[in-house]
């Protein structure tokens, strides 16, 4: 009989960091459950966790490098593949300049320890300004607020959801996401506990989401108008003298500038555009300000709109003015065991601009909404080669069809990815890494965003397949080839610089390391396979601030200036043309990244890629529930089944993201059988927050009519 054993690890499929208890019989997984002894997730897991096993066993997963030939894909050896990619990148840079090679890092890179520890070396070796990542898809507004107000793009306040008495969520659906930019496994229990201790949950969203369903109050808001609501809330608090910054007042600058900046945004004036009555706005401001503790939190819906930068700033202004920043029950800063702040730039907004549309850089990257035009537009500096790491931007970035056309024109595209998906099928060379279950894991990023300080090390569950390479080994091998000087020495150093050693060093030098009673190291975490609890979030300001003089900048000039644009564009001009509907996305508990759609267990059941519409909007268009409808925007058209629901605000329609697997050449057989359509064949690459270049996915104007 095969040996049985139990393995503990952290699920790295989304931001929630759930602890898993995996029972094995030989090399077969017998059961995969939530680990009740994990001090952070306490036994919680969601249905997506099974995808870890499904990806590992997936017959569509590539296990050896592939080269695209006239006759299809051909297997090649690692040395040949790596030599070819590096040599061709270098040749293209010699002929066309450094910036002719670009890199795109997809969302899964932040969930991979190896990509976190070794990705930067590869990026530097490419020596290009054309760096893009999923960060500019939906989170730059958080980073701009953090940089300008607190001094570093990673000084991100996290809702202290376990102690708050008032949770205000805008454009966020934590019951589906289990928190985003707020790592909080077990959201159903955490929200139940909030209600049980007499706290209130208020959700502002154009859709009555799963989270809104359990809220005390749900307010429908017209897409892209959250900045108006937030400005009116701030104004009301100041006008009615409800501000109570408490000890924050000692190190906060700019209250008077904020007062002047929001003066134009009376609740009466924003009521029409937002769809929320003035008295409701005033009432919300009073409740928030008077709560024993309160926190305002906004996520994808708030960030992915033309005014996302301003909205995320005003959200933090609300937290500061009411004294809820850096106090239990408010928005707090974490103290992670491995501190990643040194790995990222402090910010750096608009140091450079894209060649074609002059969109600003942030944190050393350009916004991905500009990637296609940088490939397609001729002239000096045009992108001619691209490395995609763990990403599927054809499905995840605006106007994916245009990006797809652009990818087809590249001299060279290489991808570090286990799948031939909608993006990587355009690669000339595919470099597939090992799966999560074959690697060590430590969450470098998500401990920084977690609602409690903990630390956990996950050893590999399975040995890598013979000849397989981890992502970090691929990065190291490419880096050595791109920087061939002292190659033998580099190879020797690379053998020493494993992710495990780097994390061990980070733990020992960190705030719970050598010099503390915790004495954290990888070995100590291995002795504690469920993870170690390091306690609740604690007040840490002003010491942690990285602004000059360690002061909170409540009114950063760049954001105050942009608020004038909000007034000009949202309060002066009609934003919706007759007959148009505004398209928003939606998150689904059983989906996150597009490759999860190749797991039969995650796509089974009724079709989920449907267009949600309010019955009144359907009636005026003569449309019926279940029929196929045509959805058209400036950039494209899709056909999709219609689903009528009063959970959507009239005038708004919704499609989920990550679908659209019906393209030729994709080798994801389960996903192809549940293809759906891509919302990003409708979203517009021209629609961005001009302050940052973040894609404005929310509120794409569309027309819906009977399908063909
Ligand atoms: S919520 Fe689901 S996908 Fe996310 S970490 Fe937990 S089990 Fe994994």
């Amino acid at each position: 009989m095969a040996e049985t054993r139990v393995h503990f690890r952290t699920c790295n499929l989304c931001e929630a960091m759930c602890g898993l208890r995996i029972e094995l019989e030989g090399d077969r997984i017998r059961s995969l459950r939530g680990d009740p002894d994990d001090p952070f997730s306490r036994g919680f897991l969601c249905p997506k966790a099974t995808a870890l096993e499904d990806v590992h066993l997936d017959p569509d997963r590539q296990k050896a490098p592939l080269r695209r030939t006239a006759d299809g894909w051909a297997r090649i050896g690692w040395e040949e593949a790596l030599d070819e990619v590096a040599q061709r990148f270098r040749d293209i840079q010699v002929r066309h300049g450094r910036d002719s090679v670009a890199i795109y890092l997809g969302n899964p890179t932040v969930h991979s320890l190896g990509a976190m520890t070794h990705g930067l070396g590869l990026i530097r070796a490419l020596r290009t300004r054309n760096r893009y990542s999923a960060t500019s898809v939906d989170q730059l507004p958080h980073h701009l607020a953090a940089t300008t107000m607190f001094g570093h793009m990673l000084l991100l306040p996290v809702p202290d959801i376990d102690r708050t008495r008032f949770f205000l969520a805008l454009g966020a659906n934590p019951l589906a996401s289990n928190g985003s930019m707020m790592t909080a496994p077990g959201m159903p229990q955490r929200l139940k506990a909030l209600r049980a201790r007499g706290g209130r949950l208020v959700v502002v969203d154009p859709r009555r989401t799963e989270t809104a369903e359990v809220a005390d109050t749900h307010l429908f808001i017209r897409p892209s108008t959250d900045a108006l609501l937030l400005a009116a809330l701030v104004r009301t608090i100041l006008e009615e003298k409800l501000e109570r910054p408490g000890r924050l007042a000692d190190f906060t600058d700019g209250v008077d500038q904020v007062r002047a900046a929001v003066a134009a945004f009376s609740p009466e004036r924003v009521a029409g555009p937002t769809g929320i009555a003035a008295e409701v706005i005033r009432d919300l401001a009073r409740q928030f300000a008077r709560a024993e503790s309160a926190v305002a939190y906004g996520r994808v819906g708030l960030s992915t709109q033309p005014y996302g930068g301003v909205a995320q700033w005003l959200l933090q202004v609300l937290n500061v003015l009411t004294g809820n920043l850096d106090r239990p029950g408010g928005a707090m800063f974490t103290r992670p065991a491995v501190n990643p702040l040194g790995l990222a730039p402090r910010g750096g907004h608009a140091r450079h601009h894209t060649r074609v549309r002059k969109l600003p850089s942030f944190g050393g990257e350009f916004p991905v909404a500009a990637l296609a035009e940088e490939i397609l537009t001729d002239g000096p500096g045009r992108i001619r080669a691209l490395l995609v790491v763990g990403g599927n931007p054809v499905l995840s970035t605006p106007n994916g069809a245009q990006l797809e056309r652009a990818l087809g024109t590249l001299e060279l595209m290489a991808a570090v990815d286990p799948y031939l998906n909608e993006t990587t099928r355009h690669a000339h060379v595919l470099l597939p890494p090992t799966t999560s279950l074959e690697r060590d894991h430590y969450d470098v990023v998500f401990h920084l965003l977690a609602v409690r300080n903990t630390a956990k090390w996950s050893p590999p569950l399975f040995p890598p397949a013979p000849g397989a390479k981890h992502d970090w080994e691929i990065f190291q091998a490419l880096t050595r080839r791109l920087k061939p000087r002292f190659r033998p020495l580099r190879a020797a150093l690379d053998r020493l610089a494993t992710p495990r050693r780097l994390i061990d060093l980070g733990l020992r030098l960190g705030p719970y390391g050598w010099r503390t009673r915790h004495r954290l190291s990888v070995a100590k975490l291995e002795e504690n396979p469920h993870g170690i609890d390091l306690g609740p979030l604690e007040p840490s300001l002003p010491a942690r601030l990285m602004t000059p003089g360690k002061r909170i900048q409540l009114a950063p000039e760049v954001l105050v200036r942009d608020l004038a644009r909000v007034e000009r564009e949202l309060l002066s001009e009609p934003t919706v043309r007759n007959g148009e509907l505004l398209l928003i996305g939606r998150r689904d508990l059983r989906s996150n990244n597009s490759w999860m759609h190749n797991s039969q267990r995650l796509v089974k059941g009724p079709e989920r890629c449907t267009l949600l519409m309010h019955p009144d909007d359907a009636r005026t268009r003569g449309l019926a529930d279940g029929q196929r409808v045509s959805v058209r925007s400036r950039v494209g058209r899709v056909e999709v089944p219609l689903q009528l629901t009063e959970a959507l605000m009239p005038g708004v329609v919704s499609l989920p993201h990550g679908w659209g697997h019906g393209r030729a050449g994709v080798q994801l057989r389960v996903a192809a059988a549940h293809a759906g359509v891509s919302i990003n064949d409708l979203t517009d690459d021209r629609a961005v927050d001009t302050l940052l270049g973040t894609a404005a996915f929310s509120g794409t104007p569309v027309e819906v009519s009977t399908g063909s």
Side-chain angles (χ1 to χ4, degrees):
M1 201 171 121
E3 184 202 350
T4 59
R5 65 186 167 115
V6 180
H7 169 92
F8 300 99
R9 68 184 300 107
T10 299
C11 175
N12 66 335
L13 291 174
C14 85
E15 300 180 38
M17 297 199 302
C18 296
L20 302 179
R21 182 183 192 281
I22 303 176
E23 274 184 27
L24 292 118
E25 202 171 285
D27 59 1
R28 195 179 64 82
I29 292 180
R30 200 162 67 178
S31 72
L32 188 154
R33 300 204 171 92
D35 176 6
D37 298 319
D38 184 293
F40 189 42
S41 60
R42 296 173 289 192
F44 178 83
L45 89 171
C46 88
K48 288 192 292 296
T50 55
L52 282 171
E53 181 186 13
D54 292 350
V55 168
H56 185 71
L57 299 176
D58 193 343
D60 289 340
R61 178 166 68 84
Q62 304 301 328
K63 295 182 181 149
L66 298 178
R67 177 192 287 138
R68 184 148 53 89
T69 71
D71 300 323
W73 292 96
R75 278 190 170 210
I76 54 175
W78 276 106
E79 293 301 304
E80 188 182 351
L82 293 162
D83 285 345
E84 177 173 333
V85 170
Q87 187 58 49
R88 288 181 67 187
F89 276 151
R90 290 180 70 190
D91 288 349
I92 290 167
Q93 286 185 314
V94 168
R95 277 186 283 125
H96 300 290
R98 290 177 181 180
D99 297 338
S100 60
V101 172
I103 183 167
Y104 175 79
L105 302 171
N107 162 282
T109 55
V110 292
H111 297 268
S112 160
L113 171 59
M116 286 293 93
T117 53
H118 289 71
L120 199 57
L122 175 60
I123 293 169
R124 287 191 179 135
L126 283 171
R127 297 183 309 159
T128 176
R129 272 193 194 160
N130 271 312
R131 304 174 183 178
Y132 301 83
S133 80
T135 298
S136 59
V137 171
D138 63 32
Q139 67 187 59
L140 281 186
H142 297 260
H143 295 304
L144 182 66
T147 297
T148 54
M149 298 178 78
F150 313 125
H152 195 292
M153 64 181 281
L154 294 184
L155 271 177
L156 296 157
V158 176
D160 186 16
I161 191 165
D162 292 340
R163 290 181 288 188
T164 194
R165 305 287 291 199
F166 195 108
F167 187 39
L168 172 61
L170 298 100
N173 187 8
L175 267 190
S177 68
N178 277 293
S180 180
M181 306 292 279
M182 171 182 64
T183 290
M187 191 54 73
Q189 289 84 339
R190 290 179 201 271
L191 292 181
K192 261 190 211 136
L194 164 73
R195 308 283 305 281
R197 64 179 176 266
R200 284 178 62 76
L201 170 63
V202 176
V203 173
V204 179
D205 201 291
R207 181 166 79 89
R208 192 163 63 245
T209 61
E210 292 81 349
T211 309
E213 287 285 357
V214 303
D216 297 278
T217 305
H218 167 230
L219 301 174
F220 280 125
I221 186 167
R222 198 155 289 135
S224 303
T225 63
D226 302 74
L228 291 179
L229 170 66
L230 287 159
L233 290 173
V234 170
R235 182 190 135 132
T236 303
I237 284 169
L238 290 170
E239 186 182 56
E240 300 191 5
K241 302 198 181 336
L242 296 170
E243 73 273 25
R244 301 276 183 277
R247 69 183 182 90
L248 302 178
D250 294 342
F251 48 89
T252 297
D253 294 330
V255 176
D256 289 340
Q257 287 95 317
V258 167
R259 191 189 308 276
V262 298
F265 298 87
S266 68
E268 287 70 21
R269 209 166 163 217
V270 309
T274 57
I276 303 175
E279 204 36 52
V280 173
I281 296 173
R282 285 189 195 286
D283 205 41
L284 178 58
R286 290 170 195 144
Q287 285 181 35
F288 189 90
R290 289 174 181 152
E292 205 177 298
S293 63
V295 61
Y297 162 74
R299 195 44 199 113
V300 173
L302 194 68
S303 293
T304 60
Q305 48 175 289
Y307 318 100
V310 165
Q312 289 290 356
W313 160 55
L314 289 172
L315 193 88
Q316 296 307 338
V317 170
L318 205 55
N319 287 332
V320 173
L321 283 178
T322 53
N324 281 301
L325 184 81
D326 197 43
R327 84 161 176 196
M332 303 192 75
F333 296 98
T334 56
R335 201 160 170 255
V338 175
N339 187 353
L341 261 67
L343 295 175
R346 284 188 173 203
H349 177 226
R351 293 219 175 118
H352 305 287
H353 291 82
T354 57
R355 180 179 62 104
V356 179
R357 211 187 321 170
K358 311 296 176 214
L359 292 179
S361 65
F362 187 91
E365 293 182 4
F366 286 132
V368 70
L371 178 57
E373 68 199 21
E374 292 294 325
I375 298 172
L376 290 169
T377 309
D378 211 354
R382 177 182 182 178
I383 294 172
R384 292 160 196 272
L386 175 67
L387 177 64
V388 175
V389 181
N392 192 357
V394 165
L395 294 192
S396 61
T397 65
N399 199 352
Q402 176 182 250
L403 180 60
E404 202 168 16
R405 281 195 299 280
L407 297 182
T409 69
L410 289 167
E411 269 186 52
L412 175 67
M413 177 175 153
V416 180
D417 201 289
Y419 284 116
L420 286 168
N421 62 32
E422 292 72 15
T423 298
T424 59
R425 74 193 174 103
H426 293 281
H428 298 89
V429 179
L430 185 83
L431 305 167
T434 52
T435 70
S436 297
L437 295 181
E438 296 165 313
R439 302 198 286 247
D440 298 320
H441 185 64
Y442 182 91
D443 272 292
V444 177
V445 171
F446 299 107
H447 284 300
L448 178 76
L449 300 170
V451 298
R452 193 173 175 89
N453 293 314
T454 60
K456 181 165 167 176
W457 176 260
S458 304
L461 174 58
F462 298 121
K469 283 196 187 299
H470 299 305
D471 51 3
W472 58 274
E473 292 176 311
I474 298 171
F475 299 158
Q476 282 184 331
L478 281 175
T479 304
R480 285 197 299 273
R481 284 163 172 80
L482 289 164
K483 292 169 78 174
R485 286 180 71 195
F486 313 117
R487 197 161 148 184
L489 178 64
R490 280 178 189 280
L493 290 175
D494 281 352
R495 276 193 292 279
L496 293 174
T498 61
R500 181 191 168 95
R501 283 210 177 94
L502 295 173
I503 291 301
D504 193 51
L505 192 63
L507 288 168
R508 289 172 189 269
L509 296 176
Y512 312 91
W514 267 329
R515 296 187 182 172
T516 71
R517 68 184 168 86
H518 298 281
R519 302 182 71 77
L520 287 194
S521 63
V522 168
K524 174 133 187 210
L525 293 185
E526 280 178 323
E527 288 163 16
N528 295 271
H530 307 289
I532 293 181
D533 184 26
L534 299 166
L537 307 187
E538 287 176 1
S540 60
L541 299 190
R544 296 279 300 286
L545 291 170
M546 294 175 75
T547 45
K550 293 196 178 292
R551 299 186 67 78
I552 296 170
Q553 298 302 326
L554 204 61
E557 198 188 327
V558 65
L559 288 157
V560 170
R561 209 180 321 126
D562 208 47
L563 186 57
R565 178 173 68 93
V566 176
E567 184 188 2
R568 218 168 39 246
E569 294 181 7
L570 283 183
L571 289 180
S572 320
E573 299 167 18
T575 47
V576 182
R577 288 204 302 264
N578 244 353
E580 268 180 353
L581 296 160
L582 296 178
L583 175 67
I584 60 169
R586 68 177 185 268
R587 176 83 185 248
D588 180 335
L589 180 62
R590 282 196 285 151
S591 176
N592 186 12
N593 294 116
S594 56
W595 42 267
M596 289 184 189
H597 298 158
N598 213 42
S599 160
Q600 184 60 42
R601 290 189 274 192
L602 294 187
V603 292
K604 68 183 182 195
E607 180 161 9
R608 303 209 299 276
C609 188
T610 57
L611 184 79
L612 301 185
M613 181 186 275
H614 192 277
D616 291 350
D617 288 324
R619 212 168 298 121
T620 56
R621 288 165 179 77
L623 302 173
D625 190 53
Q627 83 173 92
R628 283 190 81 75
V629 291
S630 159
V631 189
R632 188 187 298 273
S633 73
R634 184 190 78 82
V635 306
R637 190 185 86 89
V638 300
E639 288 208 1
V640 63
L642 182 66
Q643 190 179 347
L644 300 186
T645 170
E646 295 195 347
L648 215 64
M649 186 179 194
V652 179
V653 286
S654 168
L655 268 178
H657 68 263
W659 301 88
H661 304 290
R663 287 145 154 105
V666 173
Q667 292 189 24
L668 294 162
R669 281 168 289 185
V670 174
H674 302 264
V677 298
S678 173
I679 187 174
N680 289 319
D681 287 342
L682 296 169
T683 57
D684 192 338
D685 57 301
R686 312 296 305 175
V688 295
D689 180 347
T690 50
L691 179 65
L692 283 157
T694 327
F697 293 111
S698 294
T700 304
V702 293
E703 287 172 12
V704 182
S705 56
T706 310
S708 56

